[in-house]
């Protein structure tokens, strides 16, 4: 086991924020993690699990022991009557895994193409895009308890998936009451994730962006590969590539409000983009709310609001020479956005990334 000290984290977070890990260990197998837990000094340290670093804001050097998950592997595990069960190591890159499933002839993840990050991070925030969420294709996962070294398996119900939410985002003695007893934040490391992809594949097409592509390309019955290509094109057109412009995807969640609250917001601005949900509540487009407060293209220091999608905060600095945005600048910008949306619409936006 190699214990690395003062490791630059800039290459390992998609915002390209300059910060260091005081201590970092790479976890390429269960055995690596058991070695960490068997070492009295390392075992005693608080721990931070780092996946693809695509959903974090680093506000300084990281003092907890950083466990950088690099567990490889992807395979067809089994076939049931109705599903292909695929398994991937937590360290696999999400998009490469999605592309691989399609190449192997197992469609079902195509709407989630190009989401940055790793397979192991995908259940933590129940990633989703264009009408499909991870929980729709999830079978189960294996994780290791960071206190005891015991490996356990969770099914979807036990993961308590919600919109960009799961049991892994909640502390055991905090968070919402529903998750209190179950909270696994900082208590477990996801080792492997299994996906159940239906043998009878049906396209998920409902989104306006996809429908525009269908019309433009004159395709009414797309296959999964075609949808994958459209999603990649749609995302590339409006979301910044983290390899070029540092960012953490959508910075805020789309808020859900009651019909009464929505009526109040419509009274403030009738153009507000909103979608009625099956349970009678209403989802608002946070990007639109931020945009209508005039934030698109604005900056605080080197942290900015992306010109083509106001829900995405970006690092305008040249990360590689160390002159990028600080985590403090990103958070100052985020707070200023929250305040102005609150003043105008009476709604407090909730950040999506984890602040460290
Ligand atoms: N809009 C504006 N101005 C903006 C941005 C958006 O008016 O600056 C409007 C758009 O015109 C549209 C609406 O807001 O009418 C929604 O925008 P968009 O379709 O881009 O989707 P979103 O709600 O902003 C969500 C997810 C994305 C996901 C897309 C597609 C969240 C927080 N974000 O974005 O996920 O790719 O839908 O499904 O739910 C992510 O989580 O990191 C992410 C990129």
């Amino acid at each position: 086991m190699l214990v690395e000290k003062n490791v630059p984290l800039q290459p390992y977070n998609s915002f390209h924020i300059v910060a260091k890990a005081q201590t970092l260990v790479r976890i390429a197998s269960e055995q690596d993690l058991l070695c960490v837990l068997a070492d009295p000094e390392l075992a005693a340290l608080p721990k931070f699990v780092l996946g693809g670093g695509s959903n974090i804001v680093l506000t300084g050097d990281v003092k907890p022991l950083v466990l950088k998950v690099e567990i490889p592997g992807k395979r067809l595990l089994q076939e049931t009557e109705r599903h292909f069960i695929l398994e991937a190591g937590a360290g696999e890159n999400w998009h490469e895994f999605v592309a691989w499933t399609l190449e192997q002839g197992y469609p079902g993840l195509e709407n989630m193409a190009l989401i940055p990050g790793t397979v192991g991070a995908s259940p933590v925030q129940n990633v989703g895009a264009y009408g499909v969420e991870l929980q729709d294709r999830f079978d189960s996962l294996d994780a290791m308890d960071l206190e005891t070294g015991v490996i356990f398996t969770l099914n979807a119900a036990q993961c308590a998936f919600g919109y960009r939410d799961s049991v892994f985002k909640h502390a055991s003695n905090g968070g919402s009451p529903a998750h209190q007893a179950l909270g696994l934040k900082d208590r477990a490391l996801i080792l492997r994730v299994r996906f159940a992809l239906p043998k009878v594949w049906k396209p998920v097409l409902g989104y306006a962006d996809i429908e525009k592509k269908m019309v433009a390309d004159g395709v009414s019955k797309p296959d999964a590969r075609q949808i994958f290509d459209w999603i990649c094109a749609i995302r590339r057109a409006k979301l910044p590539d983290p390899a070029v412009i540092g960012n953490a995807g959508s910075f805020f969640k789309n808020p859900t409000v009651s019909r009464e609250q929505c009526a109040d917001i419509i009274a403030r601005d009738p153009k507000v983009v909103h979608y009625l949900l099956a349970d009678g509540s209403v989802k608002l487009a946070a990007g639109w709310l931020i945009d209508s407060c005039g934030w698109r293209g604005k900056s605080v220091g080197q942290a900015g609001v992306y010109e083509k999608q106001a829900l995405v905060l970006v690092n305008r600095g040249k990360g590689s020479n160390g002159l990028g945005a600080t985590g403090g600048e990103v958070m100052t910008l985020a707070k200023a956005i929250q305040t102005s949306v609150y003043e105008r619409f009476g709604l407090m936006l909730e950040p999506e990334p984890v602040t460290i």
Side-chain angles (χ1 to χ4, degrees):
M1 172 181 57
L2 180 63
V3 180
E4 299 172 55
K5 295 283 183 187
N6 293 317
V7 182
L9 290 177
Q10 197 184 13
Y12 303 146
N13 77 95
S14 65
F15 246 121
H16 307 157
I17 289 169
V18 177
K20 283 190 176 133
Q22 285 185 352
T23 314
L24 180 144
V25 177
R26 292 168 200 274
I27 306 295
S29 67
E30 286 166 33
Q31 201 48 44
D32 288 344
L33 190 50
L34 287 172
C35 287
V36 170
L37 301 183
D39 179 307
E41 219 173 288
L42 295 178
L45 292 174
K47 296 170 192 69
F48 174 70
V49 179
L50 177 65
S54 60
N55 206 39
I56 57 172
V57 182
L58 298 172
T59 55
D61 289 347
V62 181
K63 294 186 186 71
L65 168 64
V66 174
L67 300 171
K68 185 167 184 307
V69 183
E70 297 183 349
I71 299 168
K74 35 189 193 286
R75 61 179 175 148
L76 173 68
L77 186 68
Q78 77 180 110
E79 280 188 42
T80 65
E81 197 187 322
R82 291 168 55 197
H83 293 99
F84 296 114
I85 310 292
L86 291 124
E87 182 179 77
E92 291 288 338
N93 173 278
W94 171 262
H95 177 70
E96 285 167 19
F97 173 62
V98 173
W100 178 84
T101 57
L102 290 176
E103 278 157 25
Q104 303 297 310
Y106 311 121
L109 298 176
E110 55 284 348
N111 290 46
M112 294 186 283
L114 266 194
I115 293 180
T118 53
V119 167
S122 64
V124 175
Q125 60 153 343
N126 185 23
V127 296
Y130 300 99
V132 181
E133 283 185 315
L134 178 106
Q135 65 176 340
D136 303 325
R137 303 283 182 266
F138 180 84
D139 175 70
S140 57
L141 60 79
D142 298 334
M144 189 183 287
D145 185 316
L146 292 174
E147 291 277 315
T148 62
V150 169
I151 295 177
F152 58 93
T153 299
L154 297 183
N155 63 25
Q158 290 164 322
C159 287
F161 291 124
Y163 167 57
R164 297 297 192 273
D165 197 23
S166 78
V167 72
F168 296 98
K169 284 188 110 176
H170 297 267
S172 54
N173 54 357
S176 67
H179 295 108
Q180 257 174 22
L182 277 170
L184 288 175
K185 186 173 192 285
D186 302 327
R187 272 182 49 194
L189 184 145
I190 296 169
L191 302 165
R192 293 172 284 275
V193 185
R194 286 174 290 275
F195 301 85
L197 305 186
K199 285 184 169 171
V200 180
W201 174 81
K202 282 200 210 97
V204 178
L205 300 169
Y207 271 59
D209 282 339
I210 302 181
E211 277 166 10
K212 275 187 221 153
K213 288 282 184 199
M214 291 171 73
V215 173
D217 290 1
V219 177
S220 61
K221 286 198 177 136
D223 61 13
R225 183 75 217 183
Q226 173 70 84
I227 295 173
F228 175 91
D229 290 342
W230 282 337
I231 299 287
C232 290
I234 292 165
R235 290 185 71 103
R236 287 197 174 108
K238 72 165 137 188
L239 296 171
D241 176 356
V244 183
I245 302 173
N247 75 91
S250 299
F251 199 90
F252 298 99
K253 294 183 187 183
N254 284 326
T256 304
V257 298
S258 66
R259 277 198 208 214
E260 296 72 35
Q261 277 173 295
C262 187
D264 172 57
I265 291 164
I266 290 171
R268 296 174 196 225
D269 191 328
K271 294 191 294 301
V272 63
V273 177
H274 59 287
Y275 316 90
L276 194 59
L277 301 180
D279 65 3
S281 62
V282 184
K283 185 170 92 171
L284 302 175
W288 184 91
L289 297 170
I290 298 167
D291 195 4
S292 74
C293 289
W295 281 102
R296 191 135 53 98
K298 295 273 168 58
S299 301
V300 166
Q302 293 291 306
V305 180
Y306 191 52
E307 282 73 9
K308 295 183 206 163
Q309 223 301 9
L311 195 49
V312 179
L313 304 192
V314 293
N315 184 350
R316 299 203 193 282
K318 290 275 168 279
S320 53
N321 61 12
L323 291 175
T326 63
E329 285 173 342
V330 173
M331 294 317 292
T332 304
L333 175 60
K335 289 202 174 82
I337 291 170
Q338 281 175 311
T339 305
S340 82
V341 169
Y342 185 76
E343 281 170 0
R344 176 136 186 229
F345 296 106
L347 261 182
M348 187 55 89
L349 293 179
E350 193 189 330
E352 216 194 270
V354 176
T355 307
I356 302 142

